[in-house]
Amino acid sequence: MTTTSTGTPARVVDFDDAVARFDPVMGLEVHVELSTATKMFCGCATTFGADPNTQVCPVCLGLPGALPVVNEGAVESAVRIGLALNCRIADWCRFARKNYFYPDMPKNFQTSQYDEPIAFDGYLDVEIPGAGDSGEPPEVFRVEIERAHMEEDTGKSTHVGTSGRIHGADYSLVDYNRAGIPLIEIVTKPITGAGERAPEVARAYVGALRDLLRALGVSDVRMEQGSLRCDANLSLRPRDDAAQQSVPFGTRTETKNVNSLRSVERAVRYEICRHAAVLDAGQAVVQETRHWHEDTGITTAGRPKSDADDYRYFPEPDLVPVSPSAEWVEGLRATLPEPPAQRRRRLQQDWGYSDLEMRDVVNAGAVEVIEDTVAAGATPAGARKWWTGELARRANAEGREVTDFGVTPAHVAELDGMVGEGRLNDSMARQVLEGVLAGEGTPTEVADARGLRMVRDDSALEEAVDAAIAASPDVADKVRGGKVQAAGALIGQVMKQMKGQADAARARELILERLSPPE
Ligand code: ADP
Ligand code: MG
Ligand code: ZN
């Protein structure tokens, strides 16, 4: 086994082989940016995409003498997240200073929580798709939560130069708008027992957490914008089916800032294969952070990270402790949304989807968007068809979300309505969707601009039917003689003559009427 200077082995072990011989252990750390109007410790706005350094003040710039004040809305969100994750809520806890130097962190410490998190000891039940392709019911896997704590985001550095990375950059720019935005960090206990399904469990956990946070309304949970970020820790230990739980954990690596559900699954899978190769070569896994590369599907070494990293944590002297009263916490418990898994079962019933259909919808990440589409007036069947068809195919191929293409629930409801009213047939509706995807406007605008409208006027259709029958007397005879399937050829001719702008079902009706033997 050869290793490159970055510690990337030249070879990795095949996944099936790796999990046959090793037991993966994972730990997932998720950072979620809260969607509060103001920052964690000051009144600065949190709007995404504002001009650099326009949402800053002495507190979030770390100027001497500035005093922070805790954002009550952020504490409320933290408690609701903790409750939704079945955690215990601290009746008293403090912030702590995590000291380290980085140019995007102007105070030289991050205000965080250390040994006194606001929420701890919880769990989240996640569903992973049933094995196989025939719609087996999902498997439920319990992920235990170690803690959820409050902290603040750092600023954002942009390294200008060809590499886009700090190494080899010509110069770097820092934007402090993000510095001080409230973050909640949710850390799992080591996840064991997932075996070969570990990558899927990782993906399902982050997906379930995202759904839960969205349902709580505490964050816009956009992974591609960084408002939900995942660090994936992984280690392998030898497989011992008789006494697996007593085998000590191996050395972990921490793959940082993985920013899509698909990448979470791929990054864990890759690290399993890489660790197996390192161990097979008789080498030691280096405890370090790793960078995930979406394009090549591999990780590379970041910085070494020992468990003894000394951040010189100490309680934050400028902030009062947080001590949520039991009454307040119970009041917040009453505001929790229906748990996502239960909600999915209820929606499946309401929408009349089969298990297999619901599974496709869940896998496409389309539950919420279908709910919005039905609320906007679409039929459940229509909403499902459009969101799990072309849009899901694109999303899957590009590792994006179905909602990332500029098509909205209102668009799909409009399109579904146009099909329902008989204004568009199926193939026209597909062309309209293409137009919406290409940014040509709403479905009505696209249909008008492209001249897509089914001809409703039966007289034009009747003419086309008569012409088709006259042009193919032998086919017509077959239909008259009872071979109804033969009508397909005539329908094809009619649709061609009508330039596709007819209702094929109505054309079929007319053909069969014309060719039915007299009673
Ligand atoms: P750090 O400060 O390194 O980020 P955290 O405690 O915040 O440490 O997170 C570490 C994560 O890794 C947790 O989810 C923890 O359960 C998990 N973990 C700890 N040890 C191991 C291990 N040997 N293998 C895999 N995951 C681990
Ligand atoms: Mg951590
Ligand atoms: Zn500020």
Side-chain angles (χ1 to χ4, degrees):
M1 170 68 51
T2 51
T3 39
T4 65
S5 59
T6 57
T8 310
R11 282 185 295 137
V12 293
V13 169
D14 171 68
F15 180 76
D16 292 336
D17 177 26
V19 292
R21 294 182 294 119
F22 296 101
D23 181 43
V25 175
M26 295 187 291
L28 300 168
E29 300 170 65
V30 168
H31 284 92
V32 58
E33 246 180 30
L34 297 179
S35 52
T36 48
T38 56
K39 293 187 180 180
M40 188 75 212
F41 304 112
C42 63
C44 289
T46 55
T47 319
F48 183 81
D51 281 344
N53 299 308
T54 54
Q55 298 177 346
V56 292
C57 74
V59 172
C60 56
L61 286 175
L63 300 188
L67 282 177
V69 177
V70 175
N71 180 336
E72 191 186 346
V75 178
E76 180 178 310
S77 292
V79 171
R80 292 179 71 234
I81 291 170
L83 291 171
L85 291 171
N86 307 290
C87 286
R88 294 168 57 196
I89 304 299
D91 49 20
W92 190 91
C93 65
R94 281 180 299 192
F95 287 94
R97 291 188 180 186
K98 180 181 184 182
N99 297 279
Y100 66 99
F101 170 79
Y102 207 76
D104 63 17
M105 199 179 57
K107 297 184 296 190
N108 281 342
F109 62 84
Q110 180 187 31
T111 308
S112 181
Q113 292 196 286
Y114 181 46
D115 48 357
E116 297 167 341
I118 182 109
F120 51 97
D121 279 350
Y123 63 87
L124 180 63
D125 284 334
V126 307
E127 288 184 0
I128 45 176
D133 285 327
S134 37
E136 281 85 353
E139 237 177 89
V140 176
F141 194 95
R142 176 160 294 186
V143 174
E144 290 186 283
I145 308 291
E146 184 178 299
R147 64 176 195 270
H149 71 243
M150 299 180 281
E151 57 183 37
E152 58 178 336
D153 213 343
T154 57
K156 194 170 189 296
S157 314
T158 305
H159 304 297
V160 181
T162 43
S163 70
R165 295 197 169 245
I166 193 163
H167 297 289
D170 296 329
Y171 58 92
S172 297
L173 298 168
V174 193
D175 173 9
Y176 292 111
N177 284 351
R178 200 178 70 179
I181 291 190
L183 285 184
I184 304 296
E185 178 173 346
I186 300 158
V187 183
T188 69
K189 294 186 179 164
I191 302 170
T192 60
E196 75 274 11
R197 305 206 70 183
E200 287 169 81
V201 168
R203 178 190 185 135
Y205 166 74
V206 179
L209 191 54
R210 186 189 62 173
D211 292 350
L212 183 67
L213 294 164
R214 188 187 282 133
L216 284 163
V218 293
S219 167
D220 60 9
V221 291
R222 297 191 66 93
M223 292 188 83
E224 73 291 353
Q225 283 185 2
S227 57
L228 186 83
R229 318 195 272 270
C230 175
D231 301 339
N233 293 267
L234 180 104
S235 65
L236 295 184
R237 55 182 175 172
R239 214 167 128 164
D240 176 353
D241 291 334
Q244 190 68 68
Q245 291 309 320
S246 60
V247 180
F249 294 163
T251 303
R252 68 182 160 113
T253 52
E254 179 179 349
T255 305
K256 305 292 286 183
N257 292 327
V258 189
N259 69 352
S260 75
L261 296 182
R262 179 166 168 266
S263 301
V264 169
E265 180 170 349
R266 291 174 73 206
V268 168
R269 197 180 164 93
Y270 177 81
E271 279 295 283
I272 290 174
C273 301
R274 191 185 66 84
H275 279 226
V278 172
L279 297 172
D280 278 354
Q283 295 175 333
V285 170
V286 181
Q287 186 165 336
E288 63 188 358
T289 64
R290 305 215 31 114
H291 302 294
W292 167 246
H293 303 275
E294 181 64 49
D295 45 353
T296 46
I298 66 163
T299 65
T300 53
R303 65 181 168 91
K305 188 172 178 182
S306 84
D307 286 323
D309 272 348
D310 191 357
Y311 291 113
R312 294 183 299 119
Y313 278 103
F314 63 86
E316 167 60 61
D318 286 344
L319 287 166
V320 292
V322 176
S323 50
S325 74
E327 280 161 282
W328 188 58
V329 171
E330 287 320 301
L332 291 178
R333 196 188 295 281
T335 69
L336 295 185
E338 183 183 11
Q342 187 180 317
R343 186 164 140 266
R344 279 204 293 276
R345 277 189 288 279
R346 175 176 57 78
L347 291 172
Q348 182 182 350
Q349 283 240 309
D350 290 354
W351 294 340
Y353 293 173
S354 70
D355 288 348
L356 200 60
E357 287 169 344
M358 193 65 190
R359 196 178 82 174
D360 284 347
V361 166
V362 171
N363 287 352
V367 176
E368 278 74 26
V369 79
I370 288 181
E371 201 179 15
D372 293 345
T373 306
V374 170
T379 59
R384 183 180 64 76
K385 175 176 152 182
W386 294 111
W387 288 111
T388 61
E390 174 61 16
L391 290 165
R393 258 192 305 282
R394 280 197 191 205
N396 196 34
E398 296 174 29
R400 297 167 71 192
E401 308 295 324
V402 285
T403 45
D404 285 346
F405 300 98
V407 177
T408 64
H411 288 149
V412 173
E414 193 179 327
L415 187 63
D416 185 55
M418 289 162 86
V419 175
E421 287 157 15
R423 174 170 172 181
L424 299 178
N425 64 20
D426 198 59
S427 89
M428 290 167 147
R430 279 173 208 283
Q431 293 174 55
V432 169
L433 182 68
E434 251 170 50
V436 177
L437 277 165
E440 292 168 24
T442 65
T444 305
E445 286 164 2
V446 174
D448 288 347
R450 294 192 176 194
L452 294 167
R453 165 179 283 280
M454 262 204 304
V455 176
R456 300 291 298 154
D457 162 12
D458 264 3
S459 67
L461 193 57
E462 277 166 13
E463 253 174 54
V465 165
D466 290 339
I469 291 172
S472 311
D474 44 336
V475 180
D477 278 344
K478 278 190 196 153
V479 180
R480 272 197 203 91
K483 279 199 77 182
V484 177
Q485 317 87 286
L490 297 173
I491 298 169
Q493 284 182 41
V494 171
M495 294 303 284
K496 196 167 161 201
Q497 184 166 341
M498 301 290 295
K499 301 197 171 59
Q501 309 208 330
D503 178 351
R506 180 72 189 129
R508 182 185 152 87
E509 257 171 42
L510 287 173
I511 290 166
L512 294 182
E513 257 173 53
R514 290 275 197 288
L515 300 180
S516 64
E519 311 238 330

